Amino acid sequence: MNTSAYFQGSSSPFKFFNFDFTISVSEKVPSLEDQSSDFPQSTQDADLLRQLSFIPGLKEILMLRQVHALEHATVWVLSESKSAYSSPAESTNVQLDNELLGGLSTEQGFYLYGEVNISDLRRAVTLARHRITTGEWDLAVHPRCGTNLSVAMLLTAGLAVGVHLLLPFRPIEQLIGLGLAATTAAELAPDLGSMTQRYLTTAIPFNLAIENITRTRDVWGREAHFVKVGWQE
């Protein structure tokens, strides 16, 4: 997750995936009777690793996807805690996002950027892991994730190339086409980014064990907390 980018979602042709961040996540958790094979299974990554253990780097990829989801869930939980602390008298069903928090995932854990008490972070990580592995799977998806930026850039570039090839090579038509391509990409990117997160870049952290949390610096020298995790069957 790279929270330096933020996309504001709008009306979408992909409503059937139910990525609505204006609704509390807890309201979208299905009952046990409603859960089906469409939802993640707790042993799926462990089973995949046992079957395909000969593939180099597979464990690291699986861990990175799970860490990515845990990072997003932790940011959501910290945002909820900050909101509750700031305005205890107000009750809301809207899932709020603290834009001062950001993260970066690795296969060994994730960096959390922003001012946060380490004790609050420990509680948030533990709670986030519990909530996301017990049904609140939408916590794995975050609108400020760098995945959304990557999807938007690829979509814009693809549509721009397509428009350039389809329309006459005259300045007016090309400018109009590029404007339409950019507008279309901006409309589709938030939902396509959410789907990409859900199915490609994150996975429910069933196999992650939280080892420790330390105050450190990342490879660019930025101060952050690092949440180290380990793999468990």
Side-chain angles (χ1 to χ4, degrees), residues 80-130:
E80 292 172 2
S81 301
K82 177 66 176 177
S83 174
Y85 177 79
S86 301
S87 54
E90 298 180 5
S91 61
T92 177
N93 289 327
V94 177
Q95 187 176 6
L96 300 177
D97 173 27
N98 184 352
E99 296 184 24
L100 299 179
L101 297 176
L104 177 67
S105 295
T106 74
E107 69 276 6
Q108 297 178 342
F110 66 89
Y111 294 94
L112 184 79
Y113 305 99
E115 291 299 322
V116 59
N117 182 281
I118 193 168
S119 297
D120 292 338
L121 178 56
R122 288 194 182 99
R123 286 192 292 269
V125 173
T126 302
L127 179 59
R129 184 185 180 281
H130 171 74

Side-chain angles (χ1 to χ4, degrees), residues 74-207:
T74 301
V75 171
W76 280 128
V77 171
L78 285 171
S79 298
E80 292 172 2
S81 301
K82 177 66 176 177
S83 174
Y85 177 79
S86 301
S87 54
E90 298 180 5
S91 61
T92 177
N93 289 327
V94 177
Q95 187 176 6
L96 300 177
D97 173 27
N98 184 352
E99 296 184 24
L100 299 179
L101 297 176
L104 177 67
S105 295
T106 74
E107 69 276 6
Q108 297 178 342
F110 66 89
Y111 294 94
L112 184 79
Y113 305 99
E115 291 299 322
V116 59
N117 182 281
I118 193 168
S119 297
D120 292 338
L121 178 56
R122 288 194 182 99
R123 286 192 292 269
V125 173
T126 302
L127 179 59
R129 184 185 180 281
H130 171 74
R131 287 174 59 179
I132 197 173
T133 56
T134 56
E136 295 186 58
W137 299 309
D138 280 353
L139 287 173
V141 180
H142 201 284
R144 289 188 292 113
C145 179
T147 300
N148 287 21
L149 177 61
S150 300
V151 168
M153 293 174 63
L154 289 173
L155 187 59
T156 302
L159 290 174
V161 170
V163 164
H164 174 72
L165 296 175
L166 290 174
L167 293 180
F169 296 120
R170 292 192 294 268
I172 298 299
E173 285 84 350
Q174 289 292 314
L175 286 175
I176 293 174
L178 289 175
L180 290 174
T183 302
T184 303
E187 287 292 317
L188 295 178
D191 295 285
L192 291 177
S194 294
M195 293 190 328
T196 302
Q197 288 182 60
R198 180 174 181 179
Y199 296 110
L200 291 179
T201 64
T202 68
I204 306 305
F206 293 115
N207 302 105

